[in-house]
Amino acid sequence: MVRDILILGLFPAAMVYAAVSDLLTMTISNRLSLLVVGGFLLVAVAVGMPIAEIGSHALAAALVLAVSFCLFACGWIGGGDAKLVAATSLWFGFSHLIEYLFIASLLGGGMALFLLSARHYPLPVALIGTRWIERLHAANTGIPYGIALAAAGLLVYPETMFMRALAG
């Protein structure tokens, strides 16, 4: 029962928190990324994932971390996004990694196009004074890509071996 609650709740709750946090504050906490990593280890052990497979998932996450930090160093993504994409990739391993990254890039690209085009129009009067909306609307503000990463994670997660473990 505890295992099932962890499988159904931990990763989805972390993704929702990441999306809301990035939307409202344009930051993703290091603690959240650490929680996602620790949660993976907890759930992997709870479902009896073999150590070799845990290692494979860790390798996938390490590769994503290396690439995402290069993107961060170029100024193309934020540091919180770089850590979140790697921590989330840990849950998917190589078996769902391409699907996750593809969906995240589609969602992130669509969100970026929407925000960049919306920033060309004045903010509606009813929204003026709402700090997080003003921050999103500001031309000098980045894109809260954690929303796309979290949404992609929620879309791919039902396909993972963790969710299949619930059925078995």
Side-chain angles (χ1 to χ4, degrees):
M1 171 136 153
V2 171
R3 178 192 80 139
D4 295 353
I5 292 169
L6 286 173
I7 292 170
L8 289 171
L10 199 139
F11 182 81
M15 292 299 101
V16 169
Y17 184 83
V20 171
S21 173
D22 208 17
L23 176 66
L24 298 178
T25 67
M26 295 289 288
T27 59
I28 299 169
S29 163
N30 290 337
R31 289 183 184 148
L32 178 63
S33 294
L34 290 173
L35 173 72
V36 172
V37 169
F40 165 78
L41 294 172
L42 184 65
V43 173
V45 168
V47 300
M49 181 182 277
I51 192 76
E53 192 169 347
I54 291 172
S56 176
H57 281 243
L59 179 59
L63 291 172
V64 169
L65 184 64
V67 171
S68 66
F69 264 70
C70 288
L71 297 174
F72 168 71
C74 292
W76 296 340
I77 66 172
D81 299 327
K83 291 175 269 192
L84 180 65
V85 71
T88 304
S89 295
L90 183 62
W91 285 77
F92 299 130
F94 289 109
S95 60
H96 297 290
L97 184 60
I98 298 300
E99 178 184 8
Y100 167 63
L101 295 174
F102 180 71
I103 292 171
S105 65
L106 288 178
L107 293 173
M111 183 178 60
L113 288 173
F114 171 77
L115 282 175
L116 292 173
S117 60
R119 289 173 179 169
H120 286 98
Y121 298 97
L123 194 59
V125 175
L127 300 177
I128 294 174
T130 307
R131 291 182 58 193
W132 67 272
I133 293 176
E134 288 179 342
R135 185 175 27 249
L136 276 178
H137 192 264
N140 63 344
T141 303
I143 305 297
Y145 209 81
I147 297 168
L149 296 173
L154 291 172
L155 289 170
V156 175
Y157 187 64
E159 306 300 320
T160 63
M161 63 104 39
F162 302 111
M163 294 300 283
R164 287 193 306 270
L166 289 176

